[in-house]
Amino acid sequence: MNISLQLKHAIMSRNTLVLGGTRYFGKHLVQLLLDRGDNVYIASRGNYPIPKKCNFIKFDRDYGLYKGPVTFDIVYDQSCYLGAQICSIKNIILNAGLYILTSSQSVYPFKENLKEYEAKICEGVTGYGLEKLKAEECALKLTNRATVVRFPVVIGANDYYKRVHKIKNDIFNGEIVIPSNNPLLNIIYEVDAAKALFKLSEVKSMGAINIASPYQVSPKEICYHIASKFNRSFELKLDEDFNPSFYSIFKRHPKTLNLDKQKGLGFDFFTDPMDTMDQSV
């Protein structure tokens, strides 16, 4: 290898740890990191296949402290669902060049055009959202080299909750129920979520950031698009007391994200929401 190629490799190569990363958009992220030339470590329970080019560290954060290498250029945390789980990787966070935590819009109350500073412990932020918020706060207190990424519902063919398939099945069964106010929502395609996480390791935007497709959609638009794709007719029922499951794309009240910070980074690779639906059924 000549000197110029050696220098290029030295500049490009990073030691990168992904906690989780074996399912859904984590798989796309790992592939992007490998394509970049990173030396990728995956820390997980080992329940799902590990890419051959990755280094595997067996780790279950619910049952003990992380005991693998602790010094990484980049650490992606895809598997933190509880505030207390931050404690199991405290040594990694403190030593990381950059720690990127995947979080959720669930940290916000129901409201439109939510800005990053509006996440707070309050009525309407409970359960999963509250635990994510606690995890964010713990991480940001530990280090000033942390990025917290708040995604809306992530949609794609690898979604293990099959959210778009549920809508499709209801349409095929002839009836679907949506909230009567038909509130707008943000979504993001699984591949775009991975691209955003990957790019955040290069632009280094510290603190919290909302990441989503800038094109908002409504439940009606989604239902009619899927029905049209399969040439199906159905009855659309509007429910004033709509009470969705936690995993539903549709919510009773509007919750949309302010994306000024994302726009300022020049992120312009997002898939149209209807194309996202087409990729997911």
Side-chain angles (χ1 to χ4, degrees):
M1 183 182 292
N2 63 40
I3 293 175
S4 63
L5 287 176
Q6 287 177 332
L7 287 173
K8 183 178 180 181
H9 178 75
I11 292 170
M12 288 184 63
S13 184
R14 306 177 301 190
N15 285 327
T16 301
L17 173 66
V18 182
L19 293 147
T22 56
R23 295 195 293 169
Y24 209 8
F25 56 95
K27 296 194 299 183
H28 298 294
L29 170 62
V30 167
Q31 190 57 56
L32 288 170
L33 295 168
L34 290 172
D35 291 345
R36 184 190 182 280
D38 284 16
N39 184 24
V40 179
Y41 292 76
I42 289 181
S44 75
R45 289 172 291 187
N47 294 341
Y48 298 93
I50 307 296
K52 291 181 180 179
K53 293 183 180 180
C54 293
N55 305 284
F56 174 58
I57 302 168
K58 190 171 182 61
F59 172 55
D60 187 336
R61 67 197 308 162
D62 291 328
Y63 296 99
L65 298 175
Y66 172 87
K67 296 180 181 179
V70 296
T71 303
F72 294 96
D73 299 300
I74 311 291
V75 174
Y76 286 100
D77 196 344
Q78 297 281 99
S79 62
C80 183
Y81 302 103
L82 300 170
Q85 289 178 330
I86 290 291
C87 298
S88 66
I89 59 164
K90 181 178 178 180
N91 54 344
I92 301 176
I93 296 174
L94 290 173
N95 286 282
L98 176 64
Y99 172 73
I100 300 177
L101 172 64
T102 295
S103 190
S104 164
Q105 69 173 10
S106 296
V107 301
Y108 293 116
F110 284 98
K111 188 180 172 184
E112 295 180 276
N113 197 37
L114 286 154
K115 296 183 178 180
E116 283 82 359
Y117 68 83
E118 295 184 84
K120 58 185 176 181
I121 297 175
C122 63
E123 184 179 357
V125 179
T126 59
Y128 174 79
L130 181 58
E131 289 298 332
K132 276 290 191 183
L133 189 55
K134 290 178 180 177
E136 290 184 9
E137 291 178 346
C138 289
L140 293 170
K141 285 179 181 178
L142 280 174
T143 179
N144 60 3
R145 302 181 305 277
T147 302
V148 169
V149 186
R150 294 173 181 156
F151 287 125
V153 174
V154 182
I155 302 299
N158 292 297
D159 177 11
Y160 35 83
Y161 298 120
K162 302 295 182 185
R163 282 169 276 216
V164 178
H165 282 272
K166 173 65 167 61
I167 297 171
K168 173 189 169 185
N169 289 341
D170 286 348
I171 289 170
F172 273 51
N173 289 330
E175 178 184 295
I176 190 165
V177 180
I178 67 169
S180 59
N181 56 342
N182 193 36
L184 289 174
L185 60 138
N186 290 103
I187 60 172
I188 188 169
Y189 182 38
E190 60 177 285
V191 175
D192 296 343
K195 287 179 182 178
L197 289 170
F198 175 75
K199 287 182 175 293
L200 283 167
S201 72
E202 298 180 332
V203 299
K204 294 182 172 60
S205 173
M206 301 301 131
I209 183 169
N210 297 330
I211 297 288
S213 167
Y215 314 106
Q216 295 174 357
V217 290
S218 70
K220 279 186 181 180
E221 288 178 284
I222 291 172
C223 293
Y224 284 124
H225 178 82
I226 294 174
S228 176
K229 176 179 175 64
F230 294 100
N231 195 26
R232 305 292 292 223
S233 59
F234 68 101
E235 182 181 359
L236 185 69
K237 290 193 172 183
L238 306 180
D239 186 357
E240 291 185 0
D241 300 316
F242 187 72
N243 186 26
S245 74
F246 172 76
Y247 303 107
S248 173
I249 296 174
F250 306 148
K251 304 301 179 186
R252 185 175 178 180
H253 303 291
K255 180 181 285 189
T256 57
L257 302 175
N258 179 287
L259 301 176
D260 287 349
K261 196 170 181 180
Q262 168 184 286
K263 185 178 179 181
L265 295 177
F267 286 11
D268 59 358
F269 47 78
F270 296 99
T271 306
D272 180 273
M274 297 312 167
D275 292 336
T276 296
M277 295 298 154
D278 292 342
Q279 298 289 333
S280 306
V281 292

Coordinates of all heavy atoms in Angstrom, one line a residue, residues 23-24 81 104-106 110 127-129 152-156 159-167 170 185-187 242-252 277:
R23 N -31.0 -5.4 14.1 CA -32.4 -5.4 13.5 C -32.7 -4.0 12.9 O -32.2 -3.0 13.3 CB -33.4 -5.9 14.5 CG -33.3 -7.3 15.0 CD -34.5 -7.7 15.7 NE -34.8 -7.0 17.0 CZ -35.9 -7.1 17.6 NH1 -36.9 -7.9 17.2 NH2 -36.1 -6.5 18.8
Y24 N -33.8 -4.0 12.1 CA -34.4 -2.8 11.6 C -33.4 -1.8 11.0 O -32.5 -2.2 10.3 CB -35.3 -2.2 12.7 CG -36.5 -1.5 12.2 CD1 -36.9 -1.5 10.9 CD2 -37.3 -0.7 13.1 CE1 -38.0 -0.8 10.4 CE2 -38.4 0.0 12.7 CZ -38.7 0.0 11.3 OH -39.8 0.7 10.9
Y81 N -33.6 1.6 26.3 CA -35.0 1.8 26.5 C -35.4 2.3 27.9 O -36.6 2.7 28.1 CB -35.8 0.6 26.1 CG -35.6 0.1 24.7 CD1 -34.7 -1.0 24.5 CD2 -36.1 0.7 23.6 CE1 -34.5 -1.5 23.2 CE2 -35.9 0.3 22.3 CZ -35.0 -0.8 22.2 OH -34.8 -1.3 20.9
S104 N -36.7 9.1 20.7 CA -38.0 9.1 20.1 C -38.8 10.4 20.3 O -38.5 11.1 21.3 CB -38.8 7.9 20.7 OG -40.1 8.0 20.5
Q105 N -39.7 10.7 19.5 CA -40.6 11.8 19.7 C -41.5 11.5 20.9 O -42.2 12.5 21.3 CB -41.5 12.0 18.4 CG -42.5 10.9 18.1 CD -43.4 11.3 17.0 OE1 -43.2 12.3 16.3 NE2 -44.4 10.5 16.8
S106 N -41.5 10.4 21.4 CA -42.3 10.1 22.6 C -41.9 10.9 23.8 O -42.7 10.9 24.8 CB -42.2 8.6 23.0 OG -42.8 7.8 21.9
F110 N -48.1 15.9 23.3 CA -48.8 16.1 22.1 C -48.9 17.6 21.7 O -49.5 18.3 22.5 CB -50.2 15.4 22.1 CG -50.1 13.9 22.0 CD1 -50.1 13.1 23.1 CD2 -49.9 13.3 20.7 CE1 -50.0 11.7 23.0 CE2 -49.8 11.9 20.6 CZ -49.9 11.1 21.7
G127 N -44.5 6.3 30.6 CA -44.0 5.0 30.1 C -42.8 5.1 29.2 O -41.7 5.6 29.7
Y128 N -42.8 4.6 28.0 CA -41.7 4.6 27.1 C -41.1 6.0 26.9 O -39.8 6.1 27.0 CB -42.1 4.0 25.8 CG -41.1 4.0 24.7 CD1 -40.1 3.1 24.6 CD2 -41.1 5.0 23.7 CE1 -39.1 3.1 23.6 CE2 -40.2 5.0 22.6 CZ -39.2 4.1 22.6 OH -38.3 4.1 21.6
G129 N -41.9 7.0 26.7 CA -41.4 8.3 26.5 C -40.6 8.9 27.7 O -39.6 9.5 27.6
P152 N -39.5 10.2 14.7 CA -40.9 9.8 14.8 C -41.0 8.3 14.6 O -40.0 7.6 14.7 CB -41.5 10.6 13.6 CG -40.4 10.7 12.6 CD -39.1 10.7 13.4
V153 N -42.2 7.9 14.2 CA -42.4 6.4 13.9 C -41.5 6.1 12.7 O -41.5 6.8 11.7 CB -43.9 6.1 13.6 CG1 -44.0 4.7 13.1 CG2 -44.7 6.3 14.8
V154 N -40.7 5.1 12.8 CA -39.9 4.6 11.7 C -40.6 3.6 10.9 O -41.0 2.6 11.5 CB -38.5 4.1 12.2 CG1 -37.6 3.7 11.0 CG2 -37.8 5.2 13.1
I155 N -40.7 3.7 9.6 CA -41.4 2.9 8.7 C -40.5 2.1 7.8 O -39.6 2.7 7.2 CB -42.5 3.7 7.9 CG1 -43.4 4.4 8.8 CG2 -43.3 2.7 7.0 CD1 -44.2 3.5 9.8
G156 N -40.8 0.9 7.5 CA -40.0 0.1 6.5 C -40.4 -1.3 6.5 O -41.1 -1.8 7.4
D159 N -39.7 -3.4 9.7 CA -40.4 -3.1 10.9 C -41.0 -4.3 11.6 O -41.9 -5.0 11.0 CB -41.5 -2.1 10.6 CG -42.4 -1.7 11.8 OD1 -42.0 -2.1 13.0 OD2 -43.4 -1.1 11.7
Y160 N -40.5 -4.7 12.7 CA -41.0 -6.0 13.4 C -42.3 -5.8 14.0 O -43.0 -6.8 14.4 CB -40.0 -6.5 14.4 CG -39.2 -5.5 15.2 CD1 -39.7 -4.9 16.3 CD2 -37.9 -5.1 14.8 CE1 -39.0 -4.0 17.0 CE2 -37.2 -4.2 15.5 CZ -37.7 -3.6 16.6 OH -37.0 -2.7 17.3
Y161 N -42.9 -4.6 14.1 CA -44.2 -4.4 14.5 C -45.2 -4.4 13.4 O -46.4 -4.4 13.6 CB -44.4 -3.0 15.3 CG -43.5 -3.0 16.5 CD1 -42.5 -2.0 16.7 CD2 -43.7 -3.9 17.6 CE1 -41.7 -1.9 17.8 CE2 -42.9 -3.8 18.7 CZ -41.9 -2.9 18.8 OH -41.1 -2.8 19.9
K162 N -44.8 -4.4 12.1 CA -45.6 -4.5 11.0 C -46.7 -3.5 11.0 O -47.9 -3.8 10.7 CB -46.2 -5.9 10.9 CG -45.2 -7.0 10.8 CD -44.3 -7.0 9.5 CE -43.3 -8.1 9.5 NZ -42.4 -8.0 8.3
R163 N -46.4 -2.2 11.2 CA -47.4 -1.2 11.4 C -48.1 -0.9 10.1 O -49.4 -0.7 10.1 CB -46.7 0.1 12.0 CG -46.5 0.0 13.5 CD -45.7 1.1 14.0 NE -44.2 0.8 13.8 CZ -43.3 1.1 14.7 NH1 -43.6 1.8 15.7 NH2 -42.0 0.8 14.4
V164 N -47.4 -0.8 9.0 CA -48.1 -0.5 7.7 C -48.9 -1.7 7.3 O -50.0 -1.6 6.7 CB -47.0 -0.1 6.7 CG1 -47.7 0.1 5.3 CG2 -46.3 1.2 7.1
H165 N -48.4 -2.9 7.6 CA -49.1 -4.1 7.2 C -50.5 -4.2 8.0 O -51.5 -4.7 7.4 CB -48.3 -5.4 7.6 CG -47.3 -5.7 6.5 ND1 -47.5 -6.5 5.4 CD2 -46.0 -5.3 6.5 CE1 -46.4 -6.5 4.7 NE2 -45.5 -5.9 5.3
K166 N -50.5 -3.7 9.2 CA -51.7 -3.6 10.0 C -52.7 -2.7 9.3 O -53.9 -3.1 9.2 CB -51.4 -3.1 11.4 CG -52.7 -2.9 12.3 CD -53.4 -4.1 12.6 CE -54.5 -3.9 13.7 NZ -55.5 -3.0 13.4
I167 N -52.3 -1.6 8.8 CA -53.2 -0.7 8.0 C -53.7 -1.4 6.8 O -54.9 -1.4 6.5 CB -52.5 0.6 7.7 CG1 -52.1 1.4 9.0 CG2 -53.4 1.5 6.8 CD1 -51.2 2.6 8.7
D170 N -56.3 -4.1 7.6 CA -57.6 -3.5 7.9 C -58.4 -3.0 6.7 O -59.6 -3.2 6.5 CB -57.5 -2.3 8.9 CG -57.1 -2.7 10.3 OD1 -57.2 -3.9 10.6 OD2 -56.7 -1.8 11.1
L185 N -48.9 14.0 10.9 CA -47.8 13.4 11.6 C -46.6 13.3 10.8 O -46.6 13.4 9.6 CB -48.2 11.9 12.0 CG -48.6 11.0 10.9 CD1 -48.0 9.6 11.1 CD2 -50.1 10.9 10.8
N186 N -45.4 13.2 11.5 CA -44.2 12.9 10.8 C -43.9 11.4 10.8 O -44.3 10.7 11.7 CB -43.0 13.6 11.5 CG -43.1 15.1 11.4 OD1 -43.5 15.8 12.3 ND2 -42.6 15.6 10.2
I187 N -43.2 10.9 9.8 CA -42.7 9.6 9.8 C -41.2 9.7 9.2 O -40.8 10.7 8.8 CB -43.5 8.6 8.9 CG1 -43.6 9.1 7.5 CG2 -44.9 8.4 9.5 CD1 -44.2 8.0 6.6
F242 N -60.8 7.9 19.6 CA -59.8 7.0 19.0 C -58.8 6.7 20.1 O -58.2 7.6 20.7 CB -59.1 7.6 17.8 CG -58.2 6.8 17.1 CD1 -58.6 5.7 16.3 CD2 -56.8 7.0 17.2 CE1 -57.7 4.9 15.6 CE2 -55.9 6.2 16.5 CZ -56.3 5.2 15.7
N243 N -58.6 5.4 20.3 CA -57.7 4.9 21.4 C -56.7 3.9 20.8 O -56.9 2.7 20.9 CB -58.5 4.3 22.6 CG -57.6 4.0 23.7 OD1 -56.5 4.6 23.9 ND2 -58.0 3.0 24.5
P244 N -55.6 4.4 20.2 CA -54.7 3.4 19.5 C -53.8 2.7 20.4 O -53.6 3.1 21.5 CB -53.9 4.4 18.6 CG -53.8 5.6 19.4 CD -55.2 5.7 20.1
S245 N -53.3 1.6 19.9 CA -52.2 0.9 20.6 C -50.9 1.8 20.6 O -50.8 2.7 19.7 CB -51.9 -0.5 20.0 OG -51.2 -0.3 18.8
F246 N -50.0 1.5 21.5 CA -48.7 2.2 21.5 C -48.0 2.2 20.1 O -47.4 3.1 19.7 CB -47.8 1.7 22.6 CG -46.4 2.3 22.6 CD1 -46.2 3.6 23.1 CD2 -45.4 1.6 22.1 CE1 -45.0 4.2 23.0 CE2 -44.1 2.1 22.0 CZ -43.9 3.4 22.5
Y247 N -48.1 1.0 19.4 CA -47.4 0.8 18.2 C -48.1 1.3 17.0 O -47.5 1.2 15.9 CB -47.1 -0.7 18.1 CG -46.4 -1.3 19.3 CD1 -47.1 -2.1 20.2 CD2 -45.1 -1.0 19.5 CE1 -46.4 -2.7 21.3 CE2 -44.4 -1.5 20.6 CZ -45.1 -2.4 21.5 OH -44.4 -2.9 22.6
S248 N -49.2 1.9 17.1 CA -50.0 2.4 15.9 C -49.3 3.6 15.3 O -48.7 4.4 16.1 CB -51.4 2.7 16.3 OG -52.1 3.4 15.2
I249 N -49.3 3.7 14.0 CA -48.8 5.0 13.4 C -49.7 6.1 13.7 O -49.3 7.3 13.9 CB -48.8 4.8 11.9 CG1 -47.8 3.7 11.5 CG2 -48.4 6.1 11.2 CD1 -47.8 3.4 10.0
F250 N -51.0 5.9 13.8 CA -52.0 6.9 14.1 C -52.2 7.2 15.5 O -52.2 6.3 16.4 CB -53.4 6.5 13.5 CG -53.3 6.2 12.0 CD1 -54.2 5.2 11.5 CD2 -52.4 6.8 11.2 CE1 -54.2 4.9 10.2 CE2 -52.4 6.4 9.8 CZ -53.3 5.5 9.3
K251 N -52.2 8.5 15.9 CA -52.5 8.9 17.3 C -53.7 9.8 17.3 O -54.2 10.3 16.4 CB -51.2 9.7 17.8 CG -49.9 8.9 17.7 CD -49.9 7.6 18.4 CE -48.6 6.8 18.3 NZ -48.7 5.5 18.9
R252 N -54.2 9.9 18.5 CA -55.5 10.6 18.7 C -55.2 12.1 18.6 O -56.1 12.9 18.1 CB -56.0 10.4 20.1 CG -57.4 11.0 20.4 CD -57.9 10.6 21.7 NE -59.2 11.2 22.0 CZ -59.9 11.0 23.1 NH1 -59.4 10.1 24.0 NH2 -61.1 11.6 23.4
M277 N -44.4 4.3 2.3 CA -45.5 3.3 2.5 C -45.4 2.2 1.4 O -45.5 1.0 1.8 CB -46.9 4.0 2.3 CG -47.2 5.0 3.4 SD -47.3 4.3 5.0 CE -46.8 5.7 6.0

